[in-house]
Amino acid sequence: MTEKKEETTANGTSRRDFIKNTSLAAAGFMIVPRFVLGGKGYTAPSDMLNVAGIGAGGKGESDIAAFAKSGKANIAFLCDVDDRRAAKSRASFPKAKYYKDWRELYDKESKNFDAVSVSTPDHNHAIIAYGAMQMGKHVYVQKPLTHDLWEARLLTDAAKKYKVVTQMGNQGASNDGTRLMSEWYDEGLIGDVHTVYCWTNRPVWPQGIKWPDPSQNIPKELDWDLWLGTAPKKDYVDKLVPFNWRGWWDYGTGALGDMGCHLVEAPFRVLGIRYAKDVQASVGSVYVDEFKQGRFPESCPPSSHITLTFPKTAKTKGDITLHWMDGGIQPERPIELGADEKWGGEEGNGTLFIGTKGKMYASTYSDAATLLPKSRMENVKAKQKYARVPGGASGHYAQWVEACIAGYGKQEVSSPFEIAGPLTEALLMANLAVRGHDLKGGTIKMLWDNDAMKVTNFADANQFVKRNYREGFVLKA
């Protein structure tokens, strides 16, 4: 799939014309299938996707391995700012050329790969993905799609503009559960849904804390400036890399950004919702001494309860109220559940739909989809309406690889940016209420103008819709 310069034969004929002419002359001979020429299990180079993996450790490591497992992806390049994190991927794919700076990779190797996987901290997702899309490369981007609302809208529009295959890394979107619940809802088994609850045990990293003191112990394997990327210049601090960045607004998007794309995806698909029209939030308090409340605006709060209102859709009779709860907060147990029946999934994550005729819920990645009371599961019958993704959540990766090989618009993917973008926007808009709580000193109902992408009744919150990037990391839209 990689673009190559046209070759010529010794007499000046183009290689394309030469092949065309000689093929016509040889038409009387037997045409031998490629699998015979290459042997059993052979995959022709034209059926392989050359992938550049940016962010090769942690989630990036598992993403890259999953692409390769499809049998149709060649991991051609690896890129990571931290040699320690990249070590396992480099050992697994020794033929992949390695870079530390994605900008250098793009400058030098743009003709040698077809697609890019972005598995970096949230604050660098958009600039890396957009640069790839501008070159006509297909992109797979970890959740949340972006750090800022403006970035999410930009990438959504770019997917259409540059005609590339896109997928966000919320693999539950490929699970059977979200499709099964769609079929139950379409059959009217729980009536009209008006309220949804989504909850998580995240954060499982420190939040609601003071910014640490600077450290001089920058690991020699880490390029700290490259890790900061678009974020403001700051001195290195311990324990931010590789994971705890999620709890700091400069880099992460908190518990909502981490798990929202997994848990809110099902309501988006089942109910056909897209953009919210208002939001409000209450957040957990932190006390640093007796009756002395701490204020740490750089850090996400330890817990929150956010309420979003979505307008009526083609699949609902009225507005939908969606509650988001994190930090271990959960909704009241449905009365249809027995006292000893499991609730919320073993990992503390779940989604509950409340309809006029019943309820249904699922756990992380829309696993264990269940009608309530559970006795309904014994006799439930709904016609399969939505095609399943082979392998479910695990098949999310191969689905994207195969769609890239087929070409833009040829094969469906579960979380293209036309879906992932609006989902991400709704979650990031909810975070405006979380951050606005600190600015306001309390809860406020924020009214959202989706077309203008701004809060209309609390202008201070709009500073978080779009950041200013640091010099040297410019997104050229």
Side-chain angles (χ1 to χ4, degrees), residues 116-366:
V116 174
S117 169
V118 183
S119 298
T120 66
D122 302 352
H123 67 293
N124 287 323
H125 281 186
I127 192 170
I128 298 172
Y130 191 73
M133 296 166 81
Q134 286 179 307
M135 296 188 294
K137 310 301 181 183
H138 308 299
V139 288
Y140 183 103
V141 183
Q142 259 308 320
K143 50 75 194 170
L145 185 61
T146 62
H147 182 276
D148 301 350
L149 277 152
W150 176 82
E151 294 172 333
R153 185 71 59 89
L154 179 75
L155 292 195
T156 302
D157 293 342
K160 297 177 183 178
K161 178 179 180 180
Y162 296 110
K163 300 187 184 314
V164 293
V165 178
T166 59
Q167 181 97 297
M168 183 167 70
N170 56 329
Q171 60 268 35
S174 289
N175 253 348
D176 290 357
T178 188
R179 289 159 179 76
L180 183 60
M181 288 190 290
S182 293
E183 289 160 355
W184 290 344
Y185 186 65
D186 291 354
E187 289 277 340
L189 297 185
I190 65 169
D192 178 59
V193 166
H194 49 80
T195 305
V196 177
Y197 285 88
C198 300
W199 64 95
T200 181
N201 58 0
R202 264 60 162 192
V204 292
W205 53 83
Q207 285 191 185
I209 59 175
K210 180 178 178 288
W211 180 253
D213 292 330
S215 170
Q216 301 301 318
N217 302 317
I218 303 177
K220 64 180 185 300
E221 300 91 348
L222 171 68
D223 189 318
W224 173 240
D225 188 71
L226 279 178
W227 187 92
L228 285 173
T230 62
K233 181 70 174 179
K234 284 188 178 180
D235 291 332
Y236 177 80
V237 296
D238 291 326
K239 296 185 178 179
L240 185 70
V241 178
F243 187 66
N244 289 347
W245 54 266
R246 288 195 175 278
W248 301 100
W249 289 121
D250 276 346
Y251 321 110
T253 47
L256 185 58
D258 181 49
M259 290 302 294
C261 292
H262 291 309
L263 297 168
V264 184
E265 185 274 335
F268 261 64
R269 184 184 296 270
V270 173
L271 305 177
I273 59 180
R274 287 177 71 81
Y275 298 104
K277 65 180 184 179
D278 62 58
V279 62
Q280 55 186 301
S282 59
V283 303
S285 301
V286 177
Y287 282 81
V288 295
D289 206 341
E290 296 175 8
F291 295 97
K292 184 179 180 182
Q293 187 171 347
R295 182 175 179 271
F296 307 112
E298 292 177 302
S299 177
C300 308
S303 61
S304 66
H305 177 191
I306 304 166
T307 306
L308 293 137
T309 305
F310 291 91
K312 175 185 179 298
T313 75
K315 301 183 75 173
T316 67
K317 293 181 179 179
D319 290 353
I320 306 104
T321 301
L322 188 146
H323 295 268
W324 170 267
M325 299 172 168
D326 59 46
I329 303 171
Q330 294 189 5
E332 181 182 1
R333 288 171 59 90
I335 58 174
E336 296 87 351
L337 270 175
D340 297 324
E341 289 184 297
K342 287 185 177 180
W343 168 236
E346 294 180 359
E347 298 178 4
N349 305 298
T351 302
L352 171 68
F353 295 80
I354 300 177
T356 54
K357 296 180 181 178
K359 300 171 185 174
M360 62 184 179
Y361 81 91
S363 61
T364 317
Y365 307 147
S366 295

Side-chain angles (χ1 to χ4, degrees), residues 353-474:
F353 295 80
I354 300 177
T356 54
K357 296 180 181 178
K359 300 171 185 174
M360 62 184 179
Y361 81 91
S363 61
T364 317
Y365 307 147
S366 295
D367 284 332
T370 306
L371 287 166
L372 296 177
K374 291 184 177 181
S375 58
R376 296 187 68 187
M377 295 297 293
E378 297 174 7
N379 302 309
V380 62
K381 291 182 180 178
K383 183 179 180 181
Q384 181 172 320
K385 182 178 178 181
Y386 301 102
R388 298 328 192 230
V389 177
S394 297
H396 196 64
Y397 303 91
Q399 182 196 56
W400 175 72
V401 169
E402 292 174 359
C404 291
I405 293 171
Y408 178 76
K410 299 294 181 60
Q411 289 185 200
E412 185 179 274
V413 291
S414 298
S415 195
F417 290 0
E418 65 184 87
I419 296 174
L423 170 59
T424 300
E425 281 194 41
L427 302 177
L428 297 179
M429 192 273 274
N431 266 340
L432 294 182
V434 175
R435 305 192 74 173
H437 189 282
D438 179 71
L439 293 172
K440 183 72 175 177
T443 301
I444 180 174
K445 185 174 185 177
M446 295 186 182
L447 306 180
W448 179 248
D449 183 332
N450 184 63
D451 292 333
M453 295 190 72
K454 69 178 183 179
V455 175
T456 59
N457 63 327
F458 187 60
D460 287 352
N462 292 320
Q463 65 184 290
F464 305 122
V465 172
K466 179 183 178 182
R467 293 173 292 149
N468 291 319
Y469 287 3
R470 186 163 61 101
E471 185 177 354
F473 296 87
V474 178

